[in-house]
C-alpha cells in the first residue's frame, strides 16, 4: 500500500498506477527488455516495462561497444548464432547508422597451425573444458572464410584480407615485430550503446500513442525506471517505487522476465525460483593515451592472450578502451574491475604493442558487468554459449516467459522471437516487422558528406554548423529536438567541454533522468572520456536542477551520491588520474 505522506509520484510511475493493468509486463530494462517492449508496442500490444535501476544500467551498460557476428563463436559450433548475429549486424548498420558504423578489425597472428587439432577436440569432445591453445593462421583463415560466407548478401562490410609480416608492419609499425601475419576483417562499432537503447525505448513509447496528440494516460506502451518487482500476489506483480518506497500492484496476462544476470533473483522475488543463470564478469579500462591511440591506426585490435582468452584494444571517442575479461561471477555481488584484471590488461598490451609504454595514471575510467549467460557448470567461461533461449512458466494463472542469455548484437532478433512467443500466448498475430525499421535518430540520417552538409544547412537554423554537426553525431536526426531547446549561441560548460547547460537540461527532462549519474554515465560520454572534477558534478547538477526540480540540498546530495558511485563502481577519483585503491 502507498504511504499517506508519500510525495507525488513521477509521471512515468503515475501512468502505471493510474491504469494498473496491461496485456504484458516486462521486468528488466536492459537492451533486450527494451527491444521486446518496442516489438510488442509496434504490434499494438498494451505493454508496460519496469526497471529497478536506470534504463540500460546493468549488463547492457558494460558492453564492448561492438556489433559483431562473433567470429570466435565458430569454434564453439554456434553456427546459428553467428549467422543471426551477422545478419543483425548488417541490419543495424542500415537501421541505426547514427550509432553503428563499420569497424576495421585486425587480428595479429603469431603461429601458423596452432589450434587446428585442439579446437575441434574442444568443440566435439571436451565441450569447452580444458585450456585452449593459441589459434594459428590456418584456423583463423578457415573461420574468416566461413564468416564472410555468413556475411554474403548483406553488402555492408568488405571481406577479410590476410597480410604477411612485412606488409602488416608497414600498415601498423608499432605492432609486435614477432607476428607472422595479420588478418583484417570488418565488424561494426556501436559508439554509444546506451543512447542506442534509449532510442529503441523512445520508439516503443511513441508506438504506444494510439492517436496523434493523445493524452499520456491513454498510452498503450508505458515504461518506468527505478521501479522494482518485489513480489506476486492476488494475480498481480507487486512493484516498489525505489524513489519513494511506495508499493503497488499491476496485473497482466503475461509477465516477461528480461532481468539479464538477475533473472533467477527476479523469479525468486515473484515466488517462482529458478536456476537458469551462470553469468561471467567482463571488465574494461579506458586510457587517455595519445601514443597508444595512434598505434592502433584507427583499428580495433582483436586477438587472444597467452591463456587463449579473446581481448581487444579499441580506439573510441579519442580514448583507447582495453578489454575484456571473462570470469565466473556472482550477480548478487557488485561487479567492479579489480587490480588482478588491470594487471591482466597491462600484461596483454605489450603482447601487441611492445614499444608502447602504458601507466596506471593514464587510466581515466573503468567499468564492469556480468554477462547474462546460462548456467554452465565446469565449461570454461569463454566457451559458454552466447545464444539465448526462452523458458515458459506460470505465476498462478498468469503465463511467464524468462529470457536466458542474449547479446547486444542480436537484440532485435531476440525481441522478435520473444515477441512472437508472447503474441502466441495472447492469441494475437504480428502486424509489423522490425527487420527494416529505422531506429530513433537513424531515420533520415545523412550517410555521406554531401548529404550531411545539406542536412546541417537545412536544420541548423542560426546555430553554428560545428555545433549542429556535433549534435548530429551525438543524437542522429533527433538532434533537431535538442537544437530546438538551445539558444543561438549556447555556452559550453567550463568543466564539461562540448556540452551546454541547455542541452543537458533537455536530456534530463526528456529522457527519464532521476539521478545525476544517469546523465553522466548513460545519457552522455562525460564519465567515459574521463577528466571529471568535483566542479564537473556541481556544474552539471546545477544545469539539470531546474528540469528535475532539485533544490540546493538535493543537488549536493546527488553530487555526493555520484562521487561515491564513481569511486566504488568505476574506481574513479574526481580530479585524479588512475584508479583508486581497491577496497
Amino acid at each position: 500500500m502507498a504511504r499517506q505522506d508519500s510525495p507525488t509520484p513521477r509521471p512515468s510511475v503515475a501512468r502505471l498506477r493510474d491504469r494498473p493493468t496491461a496485456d504484458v509486463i516486462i521486468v528488466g530494462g536492459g537492451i533486450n527488455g527494451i527491444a521486446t517492449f518496442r516489438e510488442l508496442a509496434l504490434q499494438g500490444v498494451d505493454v508496460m516495462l519496469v526497471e529497478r535501476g536506470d534504463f540500460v544500467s546493468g549488463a547492457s551498460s558494460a558492453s564492448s561497444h561492438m556489433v559483431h557476428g562473433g567470429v570466435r563463436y565458430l569454434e564453439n559450433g554456434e553456427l546459428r548464432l553467428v549467422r543471426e548475429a551477422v545478419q543483425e549486424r548488417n541490419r543495424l548498420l542500415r537501421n541505426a547508422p547514427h550509432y553503428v558504423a563499420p569497424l576495421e578489425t585486425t587480428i595479429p597472428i603469431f603461429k601458423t597451425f596452432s589450434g587446428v587439432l585442439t579446437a575441434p577436440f574442444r568443440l566435439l569432445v571436451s565441450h569447452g573444458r580444458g585450456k585452449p591453445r593459441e589459434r594459428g593462421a590456418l584456423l583463423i583463415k578457415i573461420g574468416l572464410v566461413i564468416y564472410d560466407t555468413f556475411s554474403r548478401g548483406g553488402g555492408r562490410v568488405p571481406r577479410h584480407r590476410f597480410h604477411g609480416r612485412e606488409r602488416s608492419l608497414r600498415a601498423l609499425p608499432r605492432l609486435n615485430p614477432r607476428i607472422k601475419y595479420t588478418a583484417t576483417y570488418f565488424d561494426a562499432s556501436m559508439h554509444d550503446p546506451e543512447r542506442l537503447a534509449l532510442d529503441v525505448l523512445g520508439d516503443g513509447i511513441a508506438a504506444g500513442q494510439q492517436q496523434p496528440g493523445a493524452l499520456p494516460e491513454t498510452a498503450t506502451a508505458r515504461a518506468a525506471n527505478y521501479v522494482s518487482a518485489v513480489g506476486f500476489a492476488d494475480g498481480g506483480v507487486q512493484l516498489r517505487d525505489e524513489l519513494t518506497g511506495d508499493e503497488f500492484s499491476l496485473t497482466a496476462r503475461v509477465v516477461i522476465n528480461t532481468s539479464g544476470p538477475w533473472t533467477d533473483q527476479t523469479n525468486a522475488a515473484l515466488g517462482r525460483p529458478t536456476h537458469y543463470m551462470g553469468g561471467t564478469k567482463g571488465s574494461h579500462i579506458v586510457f587517455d593515451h595519445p601514443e597508444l591511440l595512434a598505434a592502433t591506426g584507427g583499428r580495433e585490435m582483436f586477438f587472444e592472450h597467452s591463456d587463449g582468452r579473446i581481448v581487444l584494444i579499441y580506439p573510441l571517442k579519442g580514448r583507447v578502451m582495453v578489454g575484456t575479461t571473462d570470469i565466473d561471477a556472482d550477480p548478487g555481488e557488485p561487479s567492479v574491475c579489480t587490480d588482478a584484471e588491470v594487471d591482466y590488461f597491462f600484461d596483454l598490451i605489450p603482447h601487441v604493442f611492445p614499444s608502447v609504454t602504458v601507466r596506471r595514471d593514464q587510466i581515466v575510467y573503468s567499468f564492469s558487468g556480468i554477462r547474462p549467460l546460462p548456467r554452465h557448470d565446469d565449461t570454461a567461461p569463454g566457451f559458454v554459449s552466447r545464444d539465448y533461449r526462452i523458458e515458459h512458466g506460470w505465476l498462478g494463472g498468469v503465463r511467464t516467459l524468462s529470457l536466458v542469455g542474449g547479446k547486444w548484437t542480436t537484440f532485435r532478433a531476440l525481441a522478435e522471437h520473444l515477441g512472437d512467443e508472447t503474441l502466441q500466448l495472447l492469441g494475437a498475430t504480428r502486424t509489423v516487422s522490425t527487420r527494416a525499421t529505422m531506429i530513433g535518430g537513424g531515420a533520415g540520417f545523412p550517410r555521406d558528406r554531401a548529404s550531411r552538409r545539406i542536412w546541417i544547412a537545412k536544420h541548423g537554423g542560426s546555430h553554428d554548423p560545428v555545433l549542429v554537426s556535433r549534435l548530429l553525431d551525438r543524437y542522429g536526426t533527433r538532434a533537431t529536438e535538442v537544437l530546438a531547446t538551445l539558444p543561438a549561441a549556447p555556452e559550453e560548460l567550463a568543466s564539461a567541454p562540448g556540452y551546454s547547460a541547455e542541452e543537458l537540461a533537455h536530456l534530463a527532462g526528456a529522457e527519464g533522468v532521476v539521478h545525476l549519474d544517469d546523465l553522466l554515465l548513460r545519457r552522455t560520454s562525460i564519465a567515459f572520456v574521463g577528466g571529471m572534477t568535483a566542479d564537473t558534478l556541481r556544474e552539471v547538477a546545477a544545469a539539470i536542477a531546474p528540469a528535475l526540480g532539485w533544490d540546493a540540498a538535493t543537488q549536493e546530495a546527488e553530487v555526493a551520491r555520484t562521487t561515491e558511485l564513481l569511486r566504488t563502481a568505476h574506481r574513479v577519483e574526481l580530479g585524479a588520474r588512475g584508479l583508486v585503491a581497491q577496497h
Side-chain angles (χ1 to χ4, degrees):
M1 296 294 292
R3 298 196 306 263
Q4 296 300 312
D5 59 348
S6 59
T8 303
R10 290 168 286 150
S12 59
V13 176
R15 284 191 284 273
L16 299 180
R17 299 184 62 165
D18 290 347
R19 188 168 63 84
T21 185
D23 294 323
V24 177
I25 296 173
I26 299 173
V27 181
I31 183 56
N32 292 319
I34 285 172
T36 304
F37 173 78
R38 179 187 74 147
E39 195 77 30
L40 293 172
L42 287 168
Q43 316 310 318
V45 172
D46 190 353
V47 58
M48 298 185 284
L49 179 145
V50 294
E51 161 57 43
R52 67 174 182 174
D54 188 22
F55 300 120
V56 213
S57 63
S60 297
S61 69
S63 82
S64 292
H65 292 65
M66 295 167 58
V67 175
H68 64 103
V71 64
R72 71 185 181 91
Y73 304 151
L74 293 170
E75 187 178 335
N76 296 14
E78 297 185 275
L79 302 185
R80 189 212 70 79
L81 176 62
V82 175
R83 181 182 294 107
E84 179 179 80
V86 168
Q87 292 171 344
E88 291 303 307
R89 178 201 67 191
N90 290 342
R91 288 189 176 112
L92 279 168
L93 285 165
R94 179 177 60 246
N95 297 337
H98 56 321
Y99 292 135
V100 181
L103 175 65
E104 187 175 14
T105 303
T106 292
I107 306 172
I109 305 170
F110 295 86
K111 297 183 179 180
T112 302
F113 299 106
S114 179
V116 172
L117 297 179
T118 56
F121 182 83
R122 281 170 52 78
L123 170 62
L124 301 174
V125 180
S126 65
H127 305 292
R129 298 171 180 85
K131 185 177 180 180
R133 288 279 303 278
E134 182 177 351
R135 289 98 172 159
L138 181 57
L139 184 63
I140 292 170
K141 179 69 175 179
I142 292 169
L144 288 176
V145 168
I146 298 172
Y147 201 58
D148 283 346
T149 301
F150 287 158
S151 296
R152 189 173 298 164
R156 295 286 157 186
V157 298
R159 293 176 177 271
H160 83 274
R161 58 187 187 271
F162 251 75
H163 294 312
R165 176 180 178 275
E166 184 177 341
R167 186 168 176 180
S168 298
L169 291 176
R170 283 202 303 269
L172 296 166
R174 304 300 293 273
L175 204 56
N176 192 329
R178 294 190 302 104
I179 62 164
K180 289 189 174 182
Y181 315 91
T182 58
T184 297
Y185 67 103
F186 279 81
D187 262 324
S189 68
M190 177 173 56
H191 58 80
D192 282 294
E194 292 88 353
R195 292 222 55 84
L196 174 58
L198 289 168
D199 265 12
V200 175
L201 177 67
D203 289 347
I205 291 172
Q209 297 291 337
Q210 298 172 323
Q211 305 275 347
L215 296 174
E217 55 266 27
T218 67
T220 56
R222 295 167 285 166
N225 53 355
Y226 293 98
V227 174
S228 298
V230 296
F232 185 87
D234 301 324
V237 176
Q238 306 297 308
L239 301 177
R240 180 172 60 228
D241 183 342
E242 292 297 329
L243 269 68
T244 66
D246 290 350
E247 295 189 6
F248 55 99
S249 178
L250 299 180
T251 60
R253 296 166 61 189
V254 179
V255 175
I256 302 177
N257 181 353
T258 55
S259 301
W262 301 280
T263 293
D264 289 332
Q265 285 90 329
T266 296
N267 282 337
L270 295 175
R272 182 179 175 267
T274 56
H275 301 281
Y276 298 142
M277 307 306 297
T280 69
K281 173 187 174 186
S283 296
H284 301 76
I285 55 177
V286 179
F287 286 93
D288 184 355
H289 194 318
E291 185 183 8
L292 182 60
L293 181 65
T296 67
R299 309 182 189 190
E300 177 194 42
M301 307 304 299
F302 186 76
F303 59 101
E304 62 179 341
H305 199 28
S306 56
D307 60 359
R309 186 182 296 166
I310 301 296
V311 289
L312 54 91
I313 300 175
Y314 185 172
L316 188 67
K317 299 179 183 296
R319 304 292 183 262
V320 181
M321 186 178 73
V322 179
T324 177
T325 51
D326 205 352
I327 304 167
D328 286 327
D330 179 358
E333 298 294 328
S335 184
V336 180
C337 182
T338 65
D339 286 342
E341 289 173 294
V342 174
D343 290 341
Y344 179 81
F345 294 139
F346 271 74
D347 185 46
L348 70 86
I349 294 171
H351 186 65
V352 181
F353 297 119
S355 64
V356 178
T357 300
V358 291
R359 304 188 311 271
R360 278 168 168 71
D361 65 0
Q362 294 166 318
I363 302 173
V364 296
Y365 190 63
S366 75
F367 59 99
S368 182
I370 298 179
R371 301 174 183 89
L373 302 182
R375 187 174 179 180
H376 54 271
D377 299 320
D378 61 344
T379 299
F383 213 79
V384 179
S385 174
R386 265 53 175 177
D387 212 339
Y388 55 87
R389 71 179 192 268
I390 300 166
E391 295 281 356
H392 287 246
W394 292 86
L395 286 170
V398 177
R399 296 300 301 267
T400 68
L401 298 173
S402 294
L403 174 64
V404 180
K407 58 196 294 287
W408 247 104
T409 300
T410 56
F411 73 79
R412 191 217 59 84
L414 182 156
E416 182 178 75
H417 294 157
L418 194 48
D420 284 341
E421 296 215 17
T422 305
L423 291 171
Q424 186 174 8
L425 294 178
L426 295 174
T429 57
R430 174 175 291 277
T431 59
V432 176
S433 170
T434 54
R435 297 186 180 190
T437 301
M438 300 300 292
I439 295 174
F445 185 77
R447 296 173 183 266
D448 55 57
R449 291 182 180 179
S451 299
R452 186 182 182 90
R453 285 195 297 269
I454 293 170
W455 193 95
I456 291 171
K458 180 178 180 181
H459 298 279
S462 60
H463 293 104
D464 185 339
V466 174
L467 169 65
V468 179
S469 179
R470 183 167 67 228
L471 296 184
L472 180 61
D473 288 336
R474 198 171 278 167
Y475 307 109
T477 54
R478 288 188 59 204
T480 56
E481 300 170 19
V482 182
L483 287 165
T485 69
L486 303 185
E491 185 176 345
E492 290 187 10
L493 297 179
S495 59
Y499 289 93
S500 66
E502 293 86 358
E503 178 183 349
L504 297 181
H506 168 76
L507 298 180
E511 295 187 346
V513 168
V514 170
H515 290 296
L516 179 58
D517 59 277
D518 299 340
L519 189 87
L520 294 170
L521 273 65
R522 289 172 288 279
R523 306 307 188 280
T524 71
S525 300
I526 293 172
F528 183 92
V529 300
M532 290 182 297
T533 66
D535 286 342
T536 307
L537 269 57
R538 293 192 185 95
E539 195 172 16
V540 172
I544 65 178
L548 299 178
W550 290 353
D551 59 18
T554 303
Q555 292 178 53
E556 284 303 313
E558 286 293 327
V559 168
R561 177 186 186 277
T562 303
T563 300
E564 180 64 14
L565 177 69
L566 289 168
R567 180 183 295 116
T568 56
H570 302 280
R571 300 185 61 187
V572 170
E573 189 74 53
L574 295 174
R577 294 168 69 89
L579 300 183
V580 300
Q582 185 178 350
H583 298 293

